[in-house]
């Protein structure tokens, strides 16, 4: 029997295996994929805080900052977040019921030049040479070898984020180059609705304004792929205070107990489907209902609390002379994984070192506070 003939032009696939090409990630200045979960992250403007929350703040998430009693350091961290967005070319959305957003933007810290931030004080002394410099460095290393710092090294060619000097203000030319959307509550009059709704009119107007900016600015998923993408940084100041019409800080059983949590539900839904990231501050020390405060924390992806030494006995205690307060980690994110990356240390303190806001491990964690 003759063997069957093979057609010359026919092609034969011996296997169905096909090489899988890696999908291209979104390339946006000031962002990078996380090494832990592949999520797109941005810098908070504080390198030690980036290290603490896993390398940076993931796009589509919310960072909650519980304000200190005098609202000085929490307000400073919010300015760092907005200043980082200006230098990265991101668009900004700033909302406040007390200070006008334009006034807040005028107080953004100035970035530190590379030649100033590239060397630490210890490295500067080592470069002087000589026996005394090396002996002093050995003493410092022996003394602090068991006290690892949270802050990453300043001398890094591939660093993420910038460094700022809080004693100087950002140049107007740099600040005005950024596209910023302002929401000042006194300039947005709200009308009381006849229907009883758990969402206050002030929060409703704020949520609608954020939604409109996300839609018109092309930050949502419906934007055409051909359009150049960017990140929207959202800063919300002192939510839950009486200036927003909320009574969380006035009563044990507030009449609007679900207003802020309802707003956070809507905010997270907007962020999850857009290239946006939010940082909000809340005066938690004034909220008397701890159950409501617990719900607020659980509705945020990241949550930290700043406890300042100002006005307390610790301010004059020699044990805490090198620090300005404590930092407590309330909530860490769980993104694209079952488990979360917990901080290496729970006893953390913050201070203004060389005009920079830094977070370090408490050397007095073994002493009673």
């Amino acid at each position: 029997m003759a063997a069957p003939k093979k057609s010359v032009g026919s092609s034969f696939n011996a296997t169905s295996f096909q090489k899988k090409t890696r999908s291209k990630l979104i390339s946006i200045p000031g962002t990078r994929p996380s090494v832990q979960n592949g999520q797109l992250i941005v810098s908070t403007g504080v390198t030690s805080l980036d290290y603490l929350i896993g390398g940076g703040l993931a796009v589509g998430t919310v960072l909650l900052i519980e304000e200190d009693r005098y609202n000085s350091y929490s307000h400073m961290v919010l300015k760092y977040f907005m200043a980082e967005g200006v230098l990265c070319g991101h668009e900004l959305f700033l909302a406040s019921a007390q200070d006008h957003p334009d006034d807040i933007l005028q107080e953004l810290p100035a970035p530190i030049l590379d030649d100033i931030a590239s060397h630490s004080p210890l490295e500067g002394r080592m470069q002087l040479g000589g026996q005394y410099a090396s002996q002093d460095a050995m003493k410092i290393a022996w003394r602090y070898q068991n006290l690892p710092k949270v802050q990453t090294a300043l001398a890094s060619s591939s660093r993420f984020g910038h460094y700022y000097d809080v004693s100087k203000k950002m140049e107007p030319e740099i600040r005005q180059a950024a596209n910023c959307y302002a929401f000042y509550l006194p300039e947005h009059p709200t009308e009381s609705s006849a229907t009883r709704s758990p969402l206050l009119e002030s929060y409703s107007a704020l949520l609608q304004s954020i939604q409109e900016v996300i839609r018109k600015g092309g930050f949502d998923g419906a934007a055409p792929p051909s359009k150049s993408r960017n990140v929207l940084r959202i800063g919300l100041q002192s939510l839950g205070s009486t200036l927003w019409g909320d009574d969380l800080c006035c009563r044990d059983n507030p009449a609007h107990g679900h207003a802020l949590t309802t707003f956070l539900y809507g905010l997270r839904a907007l962020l999850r489907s857009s290239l946006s990231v939010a940082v909000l501050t809340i005066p938690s020390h004034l909220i008397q209902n701890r159950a409501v405060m617990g719900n607020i924390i659980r509705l945020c992806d990241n949550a930290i609390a700043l406890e300042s030494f100002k006005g307390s006995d610790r301010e004059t205690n020699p044990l805490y002379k090198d620090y300005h307060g404590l930092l407590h980690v309330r909530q860490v994110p769980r993104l694209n994984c079952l488990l979360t990356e917990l901080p290496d240390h729970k006893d953390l303190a913050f201070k203004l070192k060389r005009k920079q806001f830094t977070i370090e491990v408490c050397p007095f964690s073994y002493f009673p506070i």
Side-chain angles (χ1 to χ4, degrees):
M1 180 181 295
K5 297 181 179 179
K6 297 181 180 179
S7 59
V8 179
S10 63
S11 61
F12 178 77
N13 293 331
T15 176
S16 60
F17 173 80
Q18 295 181 358
K19 183 179 179 180
K20 184 178 180 180
T21 58
R22 181 177 297 179
S23 58
K24 295 182 179 180
L25 297 175
I26 300 177
S27 178
I28 301 177
T31 66
R32 70 179 182 185
S34 172
V35 297
Q36 299 176 0
N37 48 39
Q39 189 79 18
L40 198 67
I41 59 175
V42 299
S43 174
T44 60
V46 182
T47 55
S48 51
L49 182 58
D50 293 339
Y51 180 89
L52 184 65
I53 61 178
L57 190 59
V59 175
T61 61
V62 181
L63 170 61
L64 167 66
I65 302 176
E66 297 185 29
E67 299 176 356
D68 51 294
R69 293 186 178 273
Y70 296 96
N71 192 17
S72 56
Y73 297 102
S74 57
H75 195 192
M76 184 186 304
V77 176
L78 183 62
K79 291 179 182 178
Y80 271 105
F81 174 72
M82 306 304 288
E84 182 68 21
V86 173
L87 294 186
C88 293
H90 299 163
E91 298 193 26
L92 311 178
F93 181 96
L94 186 57
S96 175
Q98 179 179 359
D99 302 324
H100 198 281
D102 295 338
D103 298 334
I104 298 177
L105 293 176
Q106 292 179 2
E107 298 177 354
L108 295 183
I112 298 179
L113 300 178
D114 293 339
D115 56 349
I116 299 178
S118 59
H119 302 289
S120 62
L122 178 59
E123 292 173 346
R125 297 179 64 183
M126 291 294 292
Q127 290 179 355
L128 295 178
Q131 181 180 2
Y132 297 100
S134 60
Q135 290 179 356
D136 293 342
M138 291 177 63
K139 292 180 181 179
I140 294 176
W142 175 82
R143 183 179 179 183
Y144 294 102
Q145 62 181 350
N146 295 325
L147 300 176
K149 294 183 178 181
V150 177
Q151 187 187 13
T152 57
L154 294 179
S156 176
S157 59
S158 61
R159 70 187 187 191
F160 188 51
H162 302 81
Y163 300 98
Y164 300 90
D165 186 350
V166 294
S167 64
K168 301 179 181 179
K169 297 181 181 179
M170 183 178 295
E171 295 292 336
E173 295 79 9
I174 303 176
R175 186 183 66 249
Q176 295 173 2
N179 186 17
C180 181
Y181 304 91
F183 182 93
Y184 187 47
L185 185 60
E187 296 179 353
H188 290 75
T190 56
E191 299 178 358
S192 57
S193 59
T195 60
R196 187 177 182 84
S197 174
L199 188 62
L200 290 175
E201 286 76 14
S202 58
Y203 293 152
S204 178
L206 175 60
L207 191 63
Q208 291 178 2
S209 180
I210 296 175
Q211 183 178 11
E212 183 178 359
V213 170
I214 291 177
R215 180 177 55 85
K216 292 185 177 180
F219 302 103
D220 55 354
S226 59
K227 183 180 179 180
S228 59
R229 310 303 297 272
N230 201 354
V231 173
L232 176 66
R233 289 177 177 249
I234 302 173
L236 309 176
Q237 184 187 28
S238 296
L239 293 183
S241 64
T242 55
L243 296 176
W244 288 94
D246 208 335
D247 57 351
L248 284 178
C249 302
C250 305
R251 305 176 182 176
D252 294 334
N253 297 316
H256 308 289
H258 300 287
L260 186 54
T261 54
T262 305
F263 168 79
L264 291 176
Y265 270 117
L267 178 63
R268 290 185 66 182
L270 291 176
L271 298 184
R272 285 296 192 267
S273 58
S274 63
L275 290 173
S276 307
V277 60
V279 171
L280 59 94
T281 65
I282 290 180
S284 59
H285 58 281
L286 299 178
I287 299 179
Q288 305 177 21
N289 193 323
R290 306 314 302 175
V292 175
M293 189 62 208
N295 294 332
I296 294 174
I297 294 176
R298 284 187 289 270
L299 284 173
C300 298
D301 302 286
N302 302 272
I304 60 174
L306 301 180
E307 181 183 355
S308 175
F309 292 157
K310 187 181 298 184
S312 64
D313 298 336
R314 302 174 186 173
E315 187 178 10
T316 57
N317 194 327
L319 186 61
Y320 318 118
K321 63 179 181 179
D322 296 331
Y323 298 91
H324 295 88
L326 301 177
L327 186 142
H328 308 282
V329 180
R330 306 293 195 197
Q331 181 86 356
V332 290
R334 298 183 179 180
L335 304 173
N336 303 332
C337 58
L338 297 177
L339 299 178
T340 183
E341 185 73 16
L342 297 176
D344 298 334
H345 305 275
K346 295 183 179 179
D347 301 317
L348 302 171
F350 63 88
K351 63 181 179 180
L352 285 175
K353 179 182 178 182
R354 296 184 64 214
K355 305 174 184 178
Q356 302 177 45
F357 184 86
T358 60
I359 304 170
E360 298 181 358
V361 178
C362 300
F364 46 80
S365 58
Y366 299 101
F367 296 93
I369 297 179

